[in-house]
Amino acid sequence: MRIRDVAERCEVSTATVSNVMNNKGRVSPETAERVRASIKEMGFSPSQSARSLKTDRTHLIAVIVPFLEKGKLHDNPFYWNLVSGVEAGARSRKLNVLLTGVDEETETFSFITERQLDGVIVVGTHEGSRTMEEVLARKVPTVFMDSFIQSAHVSRVTIDDEKGGWLGAGHLLDLGHEKVAVVTGKLEGNGVSRERLRGVKRAFMERKVPFPDDLIIERPVNMAHARSLAKELKESGATAVFSFSDVAAMGLLKGFAECGVSVPGEISIVGYDNLFFSDYTHPSLTTVAQDVEEKGQIAVDLLFDQIEGRPSSKTVLDVKLIERESTAER
Amino acid sequence: MRIRDVAERCEVSTATVSNVMNNKGRVSPETAERVRASIKEMGFSPSQSARSLKTDRTHLIAVIVPFLEKGKLHDNPFYWNLVSGVEAGARSRKLNVLLTGVDEETETFSFITERQLDGVIVVGTHEGSRTMEEVLARKVPTVFMDSFIQSAHVSRVTIDDEKGGWLGAGHLLDLGHEKVAVVTGKLEGNGVSRERLRGVKRAFMERKVPFPDDLIIERPVNMAHARSLAKELKESGATAVFSFSDVAAMGLLKGFAECGVSVPGEISIVGYDNLFFSDYTHPSLTTVAQDVEEKGQIAVDLLFDQIEGRPSSKTVLDVKLIERESTAER
DNA sequence: TTTAAGTGGTTAAACGATTAACCGATAACT
DNA sequence: AGTTATCGGTTAATCGTTTAACCACTTAAA
């Protein structure tokens, strides 16, 4: 069914029907009503393809999520929340969301230009990555989330990671822990972790406690890695662990339980993200919390500003510490 | 940049360029090569809008996920895995995925026709829901996942839920538990749970153990609900719980820990889904496992069959029981 | 020698919207 | 009376592809 069918039925021109649908041009209230009625009765809905072809707007944005392993979307629940927030933000702006996983190394990004996306939101990448270069090369409005970017002209939304690191470490220090192991994940190219670590060091500095550099665990850690890492940490002399993700923290919890280390009795743990399960682990996780859904919303706001040609600003969201059961005095 | 620009540069017609891109029609190897080279050099990529307009194919499918609460995608990690599987399947079929959350009651489904989607995958709904009616009314290829549908002509992919129920209950019965509470979630309209329950009852029947009807917990349960439910169950006389979702099971674990009930010492728990955290809870969860990602893949396969006009069949995937620490002999 | 088939293209008409430019009829000002 | 706005539309070009129909030329078959 085409706009012409509606036009014929109402005995007006297609232009008028178009004007009614878009509240543009001049059309008398009566005609408008007649047209609207017909549209409803006929169940007509205009072709977005034809529309986009003419207007150069698709009302389509993509959220690009890196793969964890071959062909599989990053299964950290953290990402799901992020995406959920983006979806909600997009919905309120009448945008649709294309969900695309990419393999950072091999993927093709042609869909951006082919689909003439109004914009893209990239999560979890970093300066110099192929993903970032390919996306920016397409010169389409872009917002980066949870990515480490230095370049000033790139728009992004981040949380105050330095503060997060400072809060977590400060909490442990205040409890009397000085030998704090920090599970950062891969640091190279990952500025998010780098920022957090900076905050951690500041907390140590402010309290004039020497920072135990040898206790930084820089390897990438998922749940399984963290589980086996626990055995290592047991021997390390650390009395507390600050894990830069709750997922890893949960793995640690399991690992410690398995080798008979009591948390928080012998070792305290602070996590990061406050995921949906963080209050349900045993013991529940003290963690640095961020509002992931809000983050997604804001990303869309920023993207929308760019799409509409408005100047957009970098947005930094606050974090807070949630104290639960996994930390205790030394 | 248009196809015409490429055509002019190569001194051929647009038709030829189009033919080269689609490997159609007759074009000499040399010309084809010349065209391909130009396309690459110029960085040309064809407009999907224009293409769709002419061909009536968008290579776009939607996965429709119900909202958990207002404006927020269902945050069960289960859904994320499902969607991840769909994304992977779509990728291998050169389809893009539109992610859309819907509020079962109020949402508009016009995007299906407006975007002329090639097909949609609906998760987590049931026969008679507004979502199902609205989607089917649009007469677009559709596959339902994790939805309870009786109608024969509707294509869907499910797991063998009856068997899952039978496996879980059988396991508990074999351990000597007879007073088994079953946390089903809302049963009304939810055939998935209904099927599982049927399996549970069969297990009891086969062993000639009377099924304790009064221990069915039919309320909808998320993690928080389950946590408080634990207190209730403590008083119920049940020696085991079969929870139809690992998320709820995790809540129960926390709840039991809080009111001093040892698992599996005093109460055994069997979950369902085998989510990414199920091996990391304390104790780890015995659970009925399904391959959620494979499920997503198969959904796309089924959808693709429909799109291409091939007959498609209902697919039922197998489940298996994974024994971990949360169950023990009575 | 005529006819048929194959080769490597080209031409031009769609697809279904949007929108600038135009148009006739009143109404309102000088 | 003559000019100018305003109102409520219409006409037709356009967006960037695909594709059926056509064409000129060569080769093969009858």
Side-chain angles (χ1 to χ4, degrees):
Chain A
M1 192 175 347
R2 302 149 306 166
I3 204 177
R4 189 185 310 166
D5 301 317
V6 178
E8 279 166 11
R9 187 183 215 258
C10 302
E11 291 170 311
V12 294
S13 71
T14 65
T16 298
V17 178
S18 172
N19 280 331
V20 169
M21 290 193 302
N22 303 301
N23 306 311
K24 271 186 187 169
R26 287 177 297 237
V27 35
S28 76
E30 303 86 57
T31 314
E33 206 33 67
R34 232 174 58 232
V35 170
R36 259 189 280 272
S38 293
I39 289 179
K40 185 155 285 179
E41 281 172 40
M42 307 173 72
F44 167 74
S45 78
S47 149
Q48 195 42 248
S49 298
R51 226 171 215 182
S52 301
L53 187 56
K54 191 68 172 100
T55 61
D56 260 335
R57 282 283 298 259
T58 55
H59 300 277
L60 196 62
I61 65 173
V63 34
I64 298 182
V65 183
F67 280 149
L68 176 63
E69 45 185 273
K70 208 107 206 110
K72 190 180 158 194
L73 282 181
H74 214 304
D75 69 357
N76 192 322
F78 179 74
Y79 282 83
W80 178 240
N81 284 336
L82 226 48
V83 171
S84 171
V86 168
E87 205 274 342
R91 162 174 311 274
S92 66
R93 299 258 186 230
K94 304 221 168 301
L95 297 170
N96 281 127
V97 175
L98 210 62
L99 178 67
T100 32
V102 296
D103 180 330
E104 290 256 335
E105 261 109 64
T106 69
E107 209 67 26
T108 168
F109 291 80
S110 55
F111 67 94
I112 296 178
T113 33
E114 284 179 14
R115 295 241 178 241
Q116 287 173 250
L117 300 180
D118 283 352
V120 312
I121 293 177
V122 184
V123 310
T125 189
H126 57 89
E127 194 108 46
S129 70
R130 212 180 73 90
T131 302
M132 179 168 172
E133 301 203 340
E134 292 276 349
V135 170
L136 287 181
R138 258 121 191 135
K139 305 218 169 304
V140 75
T142 306
V143 170
F144 290 87
M145 299 179 76
D146 278 78
S147 305
F148 186 57
I149 317 279
Q150 308 259 26
S151 326
H153 62 287
V154 178
S155 128
R156 80 213 76 159
V157 36
T158 45
I159 56 171
D160 193 340
D161 277 301
E162 202 270 348
K163 179 176 174 188
W166 178 79
L167 280 173
H171 174 61
L172 289 171
L173 284 163
D174 291 345
L175 288 171
H177 297 278
E178 303 205 335
K179 298 234 145 275
V180 177
V182 183
V183 180
T184 63
K186 194 157 61 76
L187 272 183
E188 182 241 322
N190 182 349
V192 173
S193 295
R194 226 172 248 302
E195 280 298 293
R196 294 179 187 177
L197 191 56
R198 225 158 51 76
V200 169
K201 289 185 173 160
R202 178 160 68 86
F204 274 80
M205 223 126 79
E206 285 174 0
R207 288 165 181 81
K208 306 200 193 315
V209 175
F211 179 71
D213 278 300
D214 52 316
L215 288 179
I216 298 181
I217 313 291
E218 221 185 301
R219 278 166 286 163
V221 273
N222 59 21
M223 268 198 186
H225 297 145
R227 185 180 200 156
S228 50
L229 181 61
K231 278 117 193 149
E232 257 176 74
L233 286 174
K234 184 186 178 183
E235 319 291 324
S236 71
T239 67
V241 187
F242 188 1
S243 161
F244 284 178
S245 99
D246 276 358
V247 171
M250 189 173 185
L252 286 175
L253 241 31
K254 189 70 186 174
F256 281 134
E258 281 169 349
C259 57
V261 175
S262 103
V263 178
E266 296 168 65
I267 291 193
S268 287
I269 299 184
V270 173
Y272 210 111
D273 292 342
N274 190 33
L275 299 179
F276 72 101
F277 59 72
S278 303
D279 192 25
Y280 291 84
T281 53
H282 179 77
S284 59
L285 280 170
T286 294
T287 192
V288 179
Q290 50 173 314
D291 188 333
V292 195
E293 309 243 344
E294 184 193 6
K295 213 161 154 183
Q297 288 259 11
I298 292 192
V300 177
D301 292 345
L302 251 62
L303 189 60
F304 203 71
D305 283 344
Q306 272 187 62
I307 294 174
E308 303 276 275
R310 285 192 295 273
S312 70
S313 50
K314 179 179 160 188
T315 308
V316 178
L317 295 171
D318 199 19
V319 294
K320 62 179 183 220
L321 184 79
I322 298 185
E323 297 183 35
R324 296 210 184 90
E325 306 163 350
S326 65
T327 48
E329 289 216 356
R330 168 109 210 282
Chain B
M1 191 174 351
R2 303 148 305 166
I3 206 178
R4 189 186 311 166
D5 300 317
V6 178
E8 280 166 9
R9 188 184 215 257
C10 300
E11 292 171 312
V12 294
S13 71
T14 64
T16 298
V17 178
S18 172
N19 280 332
V20 169
M21 290 193 302
N22 304 301
N23 305 312
K24 271 187 186 171
R26 287 178 298 237
V27 33
S28 77
E30 302 87 58
T31 314
E33 206 32 68
R34 231 174 58 233
V35 171
R36 259 189 280 273
S38 291
I39 289 179
K40 184 154 284 178
E41 281 172 41
M42 306 173 73
F44 166 75
S45 78
S47 149
Q48 198 36 255
S49 297
R51 231 172 211 182
S52 301
L53 186 56
K54 191 66 174 117
T55 61
D56 261 333
R57 282 281 300 257
T58 55
H59 300 277
L60 196 60
I61 66 174
V63 34
I64 298 181
V65 183
F67 278 150
L68 176 63
E69 43 185 277
K70 206 109 208 106
K72 190 179 158 195
L73 283 180
H74 215 304
D75 70 356
N76 192 322
F78 179 73
Y79 283 81
W80 177 241
N81 283 337
L82 226 48
V83 171
S84 171
V86 168
E87 205 275 342
R91 161 174 312 273
S92 66
R93 298 256 185 232
K94 305 225 168 296
L95 297 170
N96 282 126
V97 175
L98 210 61
L99 178 67
T100 33
V102 296
D103 180 332
E104 289 256 335
E105 261 109 63
T106 70
E107 208 68 27
T108 167
F109 290 82
S110 55
F111 67 95
I112 297 178
T113 34
E114 284 180 14
R115 295 241 178 241
Q116 287 173 250
L117 300 180
D118 283 354
V120 313
I121 293 178
V122 184
V123 310
T125 189
H126 56 90
E127 193 109 46
S129 69
R130 213 181 73 89
T131 302
M132 180 169 170
E133 301 204 340
E134 292 276 350
V135 171
L136 287 181
R138 258 122 191 135
K139 304 216 169 305
V140 75
T142 306
V143 170
F144 290 87
M145 299 179 76
D146 279 77
S147 305
F148 187 57
I149 316 280
Q150 307 260 27
S151 326
H153 62 286
V154 178
S155 127
R156 79 211 76 158
V157 37
T158 46
I159 56 171
D160 192 340
D161 278 300
E162 202 270 348
K163 179 176 174 189
W166 179 78
L167 280 173
H171 174 61
L172 289 171
L173 284 163
D174 291 345
L175 289 171
H177 298 278
E178 302 206 336
K179 298 234 144 271
V180 177
V182 184
V183 180
T184 63
K186 194 157 62 73
L187 272 184
E188 182 241 321
N190 183 348
V192 173
S193 296
R194 225 173 249 303
E195 281 297 293
R196 294 178 188 178
L197 192 56
R198 227 158 50 78
V200 169
K201 288 185 174 163
R202 178 159 69 86
F204 273 79
M205 222 127 79
E206 286 174 359
R207 288 165 181 81
K208 305 200 194 311
V209 175
F211 178 71
D213 278 299
D214 52 314
L215 288 179
I216 298 181
I217 313 291
E218 220 186 301
R219 280 166 284 164
V221 273
N222 60 22
M223 266 197 187
H225 297 145
R227 186 180 200 156
S228 50
L229 181 60
K231 279 118 193 148
E232 258 176 72
L233 287 175
K234 183 185 179 184
E235 318 292 325
S236 71
T239 68
V241 186
F242 188 1
S243 161
F244 284 177
S245 99
D246 275 358
V247 171
M250 190 172 184
L252 285 175
L253 241 30
K254 189 70 185 173
F256 282 133
E258 282 169 348
C259 57
V261 175
S262 104
V263 178
E266 297 167 64
I267 291 194
S268 287
I269 299 184
V270 173
Y272 210 112
D273 292 342
N274 190 33
L275 300 179
F276 72 101
F277 59 71
S278 303
D279 192 24
Y280 292 83
T281 54
H282 179 77
S284 59
L285 280 169
T286 294
T287 192
V288 179
Q290 52 173 312
D291 188 331
V292 195
E293 310 243 345
E294 184 193 6
K295 213 162 153 183
Q297 287 260 11
I298 292 192
V300 177
D301 292 345
L302 251 61
L303 189 61
F304 203 70
D305 284 344
Q306 272 188 62
I307 294 173
E308 303 275 277
R310 284 192 295 273
S312 70
S313 50
K314 179 178 159 190
T315 308
V316 178
L317 295 171
D318 199 18
V319 294
K320 63 180 182 218
L321 184 78
I322 298 186
E323 297 182 35
R324 296 210 185 90
E325 306 163 350
S326 65
T327 47
E329 289 216 356
R330 166 107 211 284

